[in-house]
Amino acid sequence: MNNLNSLVFFWPELLLSVTILTAILADLFYSKKDSFKVVYWSLGGMFLTYIAIRLQDIEPTSLFMGTVAHDPFSQFFKILILISTAIVMLMSLVSGELKKYRMGEYFSIMTIMTFGLFLMTSSIDILMVYLSIEIVSIMSFFLAGYLKRNSLSNEASLKYVIYGAFSSGIMLYGLSILFGLTGSTNFFEMQKAISLLGADSNLALVLSTVFILVGFGYKISAVPFHFWTPDVYEGSPSTITAYLSIAPKAAGFALMLRFFNQVFGDMSIDISTSWSAINNVPWPELIAVLSAATMTVGNLVAIQQNNVKRMLAYSSIAHAGYMMMAIPMMSNSSIEGVMMYLIMYLFMNLGAFFVVIYVKDQIGGEDYNSFDGLGWKMPYVAIPMTLFMVALTGLPPTAGFVGKFYIFAAVIESGSRFYWLAFVGVINSVISLYYYIRVVRHMYLIGERNDEFINPSSKLVLSLLVVLAIPSFVFGWYFSPIAEWISKSTIMFQGM
Amino acid sequence: MDHLLSWIIWLPVIGMGVIAFIPRNKSNLIKQIAASVSGVQLLLTIYLWSVFDASNGNLQFMERAEWIPSFNITYILGVDGLSLPMVFLMALIGFIGIFVSWNISNAVKGYFSLFLLLNTGVMGVFLALDFFLFYIFWEVMLLPMYFLIGMWGGPQREYAAIKFFLYTLAGSVLMLIAILALYFTCGNTFDMLLLMERAPIALDGMLWWGMSAIKVIWVLLFIGFAIKVPVFPFHTWLPLAHVEAPTAISVILAGVLLKLGVYGMLRINYTMLPDGVFWFAGALAVLGLINVIWGAMCALAQKDLKKLVAYSSVNHMGYTLLGMAAVIAASEMNGSNLISAQAGVGGAIFQMFNHGTISAMLFILVGVIYERAHHRDIEGFGGLASQMPIYTAFVAVAFFAGLGLPGFSGFVSEAMIFIGAFPVFRTVVIISTLGILLNAAYFLWAFQRMFFGPANEKYNDIPEINRREVLTLLPLAIITLILGVYPRPFLDLIASTLNVLIESVVMYGGIAQVIQ
């Protein structure tokens, strides 16, 4: 489709661009104290974007001369990203550490990042892939260093930049090898060319796969490209940590699913619900091993943390590992598995981070000891936090269980080849119980009970807790509507 | 009455909802609500028993409802002669447990809410017939248990609680893999009744990495259930959890929760993987033997009364495993000895029920003395018989029932197990009778040290067991005595289901020889 006609399908992104401009302009008219009001413009614009997405006809097609896909798959991820961005923006309003700074740019940068994430979920051209990843990365660097008078935040931003530049450089190299092999930047043309390649180019193909994996691995913080995660997560404003642990990760998974299934797989020919890798590139095994390493390392290091925010950072590495388990399976259920996991993870993980933010503001610390006796002091925080921790462990009847259930189902459905991966996965979820329940232990089991009761600081805090806690619980035993939505959303654009 | 089983399961959750709206300082009202909810639940199970058709060995009072169609998950409940005694046991012990915990003063609201939630979880496991539902209930029990041990337990409660949690979770995630493997190999269904039909055929001859799929799934499920039973060497969480848990929770743990493992094996391993039964029966009998001897030896070495009782559970659950293994006696290659299979498996089910009542009594009695003396050191007492005659009488009943004295229900079930297992596992049975000797030794020795001999001056005016405590013990003692002299009603109740179970296992005896 040519550029002009494409604009008709590009409504949500256009609306988002208008929102970005409005937010930047509106910021000029607010004083420092009032600058947080930019959030209303951003949220309003994002709400309109949401409606635009919902109203769209989602017949799969490609836009802008085959660089951007327009399909139910990307629509699903866009909605997911909008929801998480909106929740994080609301969380930022309550967060104490951001109060000292001008908030206007913060919200406009988040909106720009949303735009980049939208493109990430829908790009089907390696140039667009690179471009969208860079938009997101650069905005994340800004946001990670937003606490400019805090040295940890500065360190986080710098580390993020260095790691980001390095890994995207390697990825670019991989992409260029791939371009050299295939002579095209479009996913589908590349796929056709790869399937015709002889065995002598296998080495180059494997090399480029590994290099590209570095870029993706960095984005979803997979081991061994995870070293930036804990420091960046610890130093960034907690709201941004929460955001980084969900939105770019979701987009990264969307991109990975699309890239590997469409460039290195053969989705279009096979009409069944599962397909296979082409040309003997062992990428499914490679990702399987990476995923096992990711969850194991994430969990084992998370156990040793004494800071809850850092623990959540490492545990988010482990969760990336669980989700990666599904990618090598190359079936509809594997895509569904990742989608289901992301929805569930969105609520429980943002919930956990929000509690950490709130506890830091009220009690003054992020380590486990700050949670002592919270069950009596702030039951309205401790009960949702217990739920989030149980959900993150993956125990029924909470949302986390459903996510894990879908992932494990996808792994086991694909046959005995990857059963070992399922074992690694379940053993890891037992390990994760230890450090998640440690939070619960500090809230309820440790410390003398006293009747000191701290009232919630605002209605927004309570309503956010409720908004995050209800799905974390209800989706654990009633997920039919979501299951239906997801099964309709696995459809990707399949080329001309 | 419609949806009787659903009412039995969900009533405690309704009670929990009511308790949530009561201010936390009205602790008496909370206790009364918990007691009345459990009371109604007990009445419902008694009603269920009275309308249950014992001559029908299939599942009754089935309930079915769509739940998550995209994954073929259905809400299916049903009850048969295997689950009914367990449901009754849970209702009874749940009701008694409320009164055992009447003296709880710390965070009463939380305690009784969690207690009721635990009740729902256990009932759900016994009544669920959809594997997904079964798993959910199985896991729902864990969190309340963690809190109940961790918040209201003894000095080492935190360690005990997390150890219990990690052990059980490790078992149940392996079970999850097995459940999913069954789901995908047997035509995408979690319906246990369908799985019972399809699994033996679908898995026949299937190999995973050179291992028979039946063996792999059997072992995964077995580990999950064995941790709960607990079977040696997975038993190390049990003494700790039992000792640290508050009395009422030890009662539930020993009385009902340990049965979930054996129930799971009979309900799932036996019916879905009958070939595996033949493959594993020998190992099961030997594990049973180890449990019997190891449990008894450990009990003999204990100085803490509660630990002694805890290890006696390991010992007693060993007999159940031995009895279960006897099912293979009914196969053709073992001479189609149906009667000994019936005696063995029937004995195992009966033993589960009896251990439920007897160990509940034992733990309540330990709780009674602990509340008065604030320690449980067996050596620290002496001559208590003269100060607390009524208490001594109850302990005597419980100890004698525990050591399997004729006239008490424990004797009948253990005798049945030995009779059933003897034709197939001769050596194992002969060695395990040694266990009975040890069993008698640790109970009698503890009894002697605590109640006879020179009176300990410290406890000259120790208060006698009070009326509330007597009332919690009395129903259990009566059941033990009645079933000891007249076990017919119980055996009639399970007979038809037992035959269906044995038949379904034995039908595949021929295939078993192929995999062996």
Side-chain angles (χ1 to χ4, degrees):
Chain A
M1 199 177 289
N2 70 32
N3 288 345
L4 217 58
N5 288 346
S6 299
L7 286 179
V8 183
F9 295 92
F10 214 51
W11 261 113
E13 283 82 356
L14 290 178
L15 269 172
L16 214 49
S17 319
V18 174
T19 311
I20 294 165
L21 295 176
T22 324
I24 293 172
L25 283 178
D27 189 28
L28 300 176
F29 296 96
Y30 288 122
S31 65
K32 185 183 172 192
K33 204 177 82 198
D34 282 343
S35 70
F36 73 87
K37 286 184 180 156
V38 174
V39 76
Y40 301 131
W41 295 95
S42 299
L43 282 176
M46 280 170 36
F47 182 68
L48 291 179
T49 314
Y50 173 77
I51 291 174
I53 293 176
R54 277 281 149 144
L55 290 178
Q56 264 184 336
D57 172 24
I58 46 167
E59 194 57 39
T61 178
S62 77
L63 314 177
F64 302 111
M65 333 253 270
T67 52
V68 173
H70 175 79
D71 51 19
F73 179 79
S74 59
Q75 192 205 27
F76 170 87
F77 279 98
K78 286 174 189 170
I79 291 174
L80 202 72
I81 287 160
L82 277 182
I83 295 173
S84 58
T85 314
I87 294 175
V88 173
M89 283 184 172
L90 290 173
M91 276 161 55
S92 310
L93 287 180
V94 222
S95 165
E97 57 188 0
L98 289 167
K99 290 238 163 68
K100 293 168 233 150
Y101 300 94
R102 199 179 163 86
M103 296 276 282
E105 298 111 52
Y106 176 88
F107 294 115
S108 0
I109 294 173
M110 271 181 84
T111 325
I112 303 174
M113 191 160 158
T114 313
F115 181 81
L117 293 169
F118 271 36
L119 287 181
M120 252 174 99
T121 63
S122 49
S123 40
I124 47 170
D125 185 291
I126 50 173
L127 279 179
M128 188 50 93
V129 168
Y130 187 72
L131 194 65
S132 56
I133 287 187
E134 286 308 297
I135 298 179
V136 173
S137 298
I138 292 169
M139 295 306 134
S140 329
F141 305 151
F142 287 150
L143 289 172
Y146 203 79
L147 307 176
K148 60 187 170 201
R149 285 187 286 278
N150 179 333
S151 59
L152 275 180
S153 182
N154 283 310
E155 182 198 330
S157 185
L158 192 62
K159 272 197 175 147
Y160 207 4
V161 171
I162 293 168
Y163 275 99
F166 190 65
S167 61
S168 69
I170 293 180
M171 181 177 166
L172 201 56
Y173 186 43
L175 290 174
S176 65
I177 296 177
L178 205 55
F179 175 73
L181 285 171
T182 60
S184 168
T185 55
N186 182 280
F187 280 14
F188 308 103
E189 280 164 31
M190 283 162 73
Q191 191 262 335
K192 271 179 217 139
I194 290 173
S195 59
L196 296 176
L197 284 178
D200 51 341
S201 46
N202 235 358
L203 180 65
L205 206 55
V206 172
L207 263 182
S208 75
T209 315
V210 172
F211 288 155
I212 292 167
L213 256 178
V214 173
F216 288 151
Y218 156 79
K219 208 72 235 165
I220 61 172
S221 64
V223 171
F225 321 112
H226 68 289
F227 288 100
W228 61 275
T229 319
D231 290 334
V232 171
Y233 279 17
E234 196 190 3
S236 308
S238 298
T239 44
I240 293 308
T241 310
Y243 192 53
L244 291 181
S245 74
I246 178 79
K249 225 171 236 187
F253 272 105
L255 192 54
M256 229 170 138
L257 280 172
R258 205 191 275 277
F259 184 82
F260 281 107
N261 283 321
Q262 295 195 324
V263 179
F264 289 122
D266 208 350
M267 268 179 111
S268 52
I269 299 168
D270 209 341
I271 45 162
S272 72
T273 49
S274 65
W275 43 93
S276 51
I278 53 171
N279 251 41
N280 303 325
V281 182
W283 66 266
E285 286 76 14
L286 199 62
I287 295 186
V289 171
L290 280 189
S291 115
T294 303
M295 52 195 162
T296 312
V297 171
N299 273 324
L300 291 182
V301 185
I303 287 185
Q304 301 158 15
Q305 304 307 314
N306 285 317
N307 178 313
V308 179
K309 193 171 156 189
R310 243 181 123 82
M311 177 276 277
L312 285 175
Y314 277 109
S315 92
S316 85
I317 297 177
H319 285 280
Y322 297 135
M323 285 184 263
M324 272 171 83
M325 278 169 66
I327 294 177
M329 306 309 149
M330 282 195 292
S331 62
N332 264 338
S333 14
S334 77
I335 301 175
E336 282 180 30
V338 175
M339 287 176 157
M340 187 57 104
Y341 204 99
L342 278 168
I343 298 184
M344 303 309 179
Y345 185 60
L346 171 100
F347 292 105
M348 57 199 190
N349 197 46
L350 287 184
F353 271 110
F354 182 59
V355 170
V356 174
I357 294 169
Y358 186 68
V359 167
K360 187 176 184 193
D361 288 349
Q362 299 294 312
I363 312 279
E366 284 169 350
D367 50 354
Y368 280 101
N369 295 334
S370 320
F371 285 77
D372 286 356
L374 218 62
W376 318 115
K377 277 186 279 190
M378 299 188 203
Y380 53 90
V381 171
I383 291 170
M385 188 60 172
T386 308
L387 175 66
F388 298 139
M389 290 297 117
V390 172
L392 285 168
T393 315
L395 292 178
T398 59
F401 169 66
V402 177
K404 286 222 171 100
F405 179 77
Y406 263 74
I407 296 273
F408 288 132
V411 175
I412 292 191
E413 188 188 10
S414 76
S416 53
R417 184 165 58 129
F418 284 114
Y419 276 11
W420 64 270
L421 193 56
F423 275 101
V424 177
V426 293
I427 296 305
N428 265 293
S429 59
V430 179
I431 298 175
S432 73
L433 171 75
Y434 182 77
Y435 59 82
Y436 285 130
I437 212 73
R438 199 172 149 201
V439 179
V440 178
R441 186 176 136 228
H442 275 268
M443 290 193 300
Y444 285 100
L445 268 50
I446 289 179
E448 284 300 296
R449 184 188 173 183
N450 53 20
D451 286 325
E452 175 200 2
F453 183 82
I454 305 174
N455 278 313
S457 64
S458 74
K459 283 216 177 77
L460 183 59
V461 171
L462 273 188
S463 32
L464 267 173
L465 282 171
V466 170
V467 163
L468 293 166
I470 285 181
S472 304
F473 177 60
V474 174
F475 290 168
W477 42 268
Y478 184 70
F479 50 93
S480 293
I482 298 181
E484 274 165 39
W485 179 35
I486 284 174
S487 64
K488 281 185 225 139
S489 302
T490 53
I491 303 162
M492 293 185 204
F493 174 66
Q494 297 298 349
M496 305 308 149
Chain B
M1 194 172 171
D2 276 354
H3 303 299
L4 183 57
L5 301 184
S6 285
W7 277 106
I8 291 176
I9 292 179
W10 297 110
L11 205 60
V13 169
I14 298 172
M16 221 179 118
V18 175
I19 286 176
F21 287 103
I22 296 172
R24 48 172 139 166
N25 48 14
K26 294 198 172 160
S27 59
N28 263 333
L29 185 60
I30 290 170
K31 288 172 189 170
Q32 283 154 10
I33 288 172
S36 41
V37 166
S38 296
V40 174
Q41 191 194 36
L42 181 59
L43 290 177
L44 284 180
T45 44
I46 292 171
Y47 172 73
L48 176 67
W49 190 316
S50 68
V51 290
F52 179 81
D53 177 11
S55 62
N56 180 354
N58 293 316
L59 288 143
Q60 303 175 33
F61 299 95
M62 295 275 286
E63 288 178 32
R64 241 171 221 283
E66 279 280 284
W67 185 12
I68 291 140
S70 59
F71 240 103
N72 267 335
I73 298 169
T74 351
Y75 177 81
I76 313 175
L77 304 177
V79 69
D80 64 3
L82 177 60
S83 47
L84 183 58
M86 297 299 119
V87 169
F88 174 72
L89 190 65
M90 178 62 223
L92 179 70
I93 291 182
F95 182 61
I96 290 174
I98 303 273
F99 293 97
V100 174
S101 32
W102 207 256
N103 284 348
I104 293 278
S105 55
N106 173 23
V108 176
K109 191 168 161 175
Y111 180 90
F112 285 97
S113 305
L114 291 167
F115 197 89
L116 291 174
L117 185 60
L118 181 67
N119 187 328
T120 288
V122 177
M123 284 293 190
V125 172
F126 286 136
L127 293 173
L129 287 178
D130 180 278
F131 225 151
F132 188 86
L133 187 65
F134 178 92
Y135 187 77
I136 297 231
F137 280 126
W138 185 273
E139 299 266 72
V140 160
M141 289 181 304
L142 298 185
L143 199 66
M145 207 62 196
Y146 171 77
F147 278 112
L148 287 168
I149 298 176
M151 284 177 75
W152 289 273
Q156 263 193 297
R157 56 181 186 251
E158 281 166 33
Y159 177 58
I162 189 72
K163 192 166 181 181
F164 164 82
F165 208 159
L166 285 171
Y167 263 68
T168 339
L169 186 65
S172 55
V173 292
L174 295 180
M175 196 160 92
L176 179 64
I177 293 189
I179 293 175
L180 284 167
L182 279 171
Y183 174 85
F184 287 113
T185 44
C186 301
N188 295 7
T189 181
F190 286 113
D191 184 338
M192 285 191 190
L193 297 176
L194 280 178
L195 284 174
M196 287 171 197
E197 280 171 28
R198 292 179 187 173
I201 302 155
L203 294 174
D204 188 23
M206 191 183 277
L207 289 180
W208 288 337
W209 296 345
M211 285 178 286
S212 155
I214 295 176
K215 289 182 189 174
V216 174
I217 297 183
W218 169 282
V219 169
L220 289 176
L221 288 171
F222 178 75
I223 294 175
F225 294 134
I227 289 176
K228 208 85 180 184
V229 172
V231 178
F232 181 91
F234 305 113
H235 68 287
T236 52
W237 63 269
L238 176 120
L240 195 66
H242 267 118
V243 170
E244 298 306 322
T247 303
I249 302 310
S250 306
V251 170
I252 297 254
L253 197 57
V256 196
L257 258 65
L258 303 189
K259 276 80 211 173
L260 289 165
V262 178
Y263 172 82
M265 287 183 212
L266 287 174
R267 169 72 75 216
I268 290 157
N269 288 29
Y270 270 51
T271 55
M272 291 177 198
L273 309 162
D275 301 7
V277 177
F278 287 87
W279 168 64
F280 205 76
L284 203 59
V286 172
L287 285 171
L289 173 67
I290 297 176
N291 254 37
V292 167
I293 303 288
W294 185 262
M297 304 260 265
C298 288
L300 207 52
Q302 296 312 316
K303 293 200 168 64
D304 180 332
L305 183 60
K306 208 170 181 183
K307 252 193 177 143
L308 180 142
V309 175
Y311 276 111
S312 84
S313 289
V314 177
N315 165 276
H316 281 143
M317 294 311 282
Y319 296 118
T320 2
L321 299 180
L322 189 55
M324 281 164 64
V327 71
I328 60 164
S331 74
E332 244 170 72
M333 57 181 177
N334 289 318
S336 305
N337 191 347
L338 185 64
I339 294 181
S340 85
Q342 280 170 336
V345 183
I349 301 172
F350 196 23
Q351 171 78 354
M352 284 206 283
F353 186 83
N354 293 338
H355 177 252
T357 50
I358 295 168
S359 66
M361 267 199 291
L362 289 168
F363 276 110
I364 296 173
L365 288 163
V366 174
V368 167
I369 194 74
Y370 183 69
E371 228 170 67
R372 287 163 175 70
H374 303 292
H375 76 90
R376 295 179 299 247
D377 192 5
I378 299 173
E379 308 279 359
F381 298 100
L384 277 181
S386 53
Q387 274 100 21
M388 307 173 77
I390 307 175
Y391 177 71
T392 311
F394 271 107
V395 175
V397 169
F399 274 20
F400 289 141
L403 65 84
L405 200 71
F408 293 100
S409 58
F411 169 74
V412 184
S413 53
E414 280 166 29
M416 282 172 74
I417 287 169
F418 288 136
I419 293 167
F422 190 70
V424 265
F425 302 110
R426 205 153 289 182
T427 342
V428 172
V429 170
I430 291 171
I431 306 173
S432 68
T433 45
L434 261 181
I436 296 211
L437 207 66
L438 293 169
N439 195 348
Y442 66 75
F443 272 128
L444 291 177
W445 193 32
F447 194 73
Q448 185 201 354
R449 282 181 289 173
M450 282 182 70
F451 296 97
F452 300 134
N456 189 335
E457 297 292 316
K458 241 176 26 187
Y459 302 114
N460 265 346
D461 36 50
I462 191 165
E464 178 59 287
I465 185 168
N466 66 31
R467 198 183 302 159
R468 175 179 60 82
E469 289 156 344
V470 169
L471 284 178
T472 56
L473 287 163
L474 215 49
L476 299 170
I478 291 171
I479 290 175
T480 316
L481 283 167
I482 290 179
L483 290 181
V485 288
Y486 187 59
R488 253 312 265 293
F490 188 91
L491 298 178
D492 283 347
L493 183 73
I494 62 172
S496 317
T497 308
L498 196 60
N499 287 335
V500 173
L501 183 71
I502 293 172
E503 207 172 288
S504 79
V505 173
V506 170
M507 237 166 65
Y508 292 91
I511 306 171
Q513 280 158 316
V514 179
I515 45 171
Q516 278 173 338

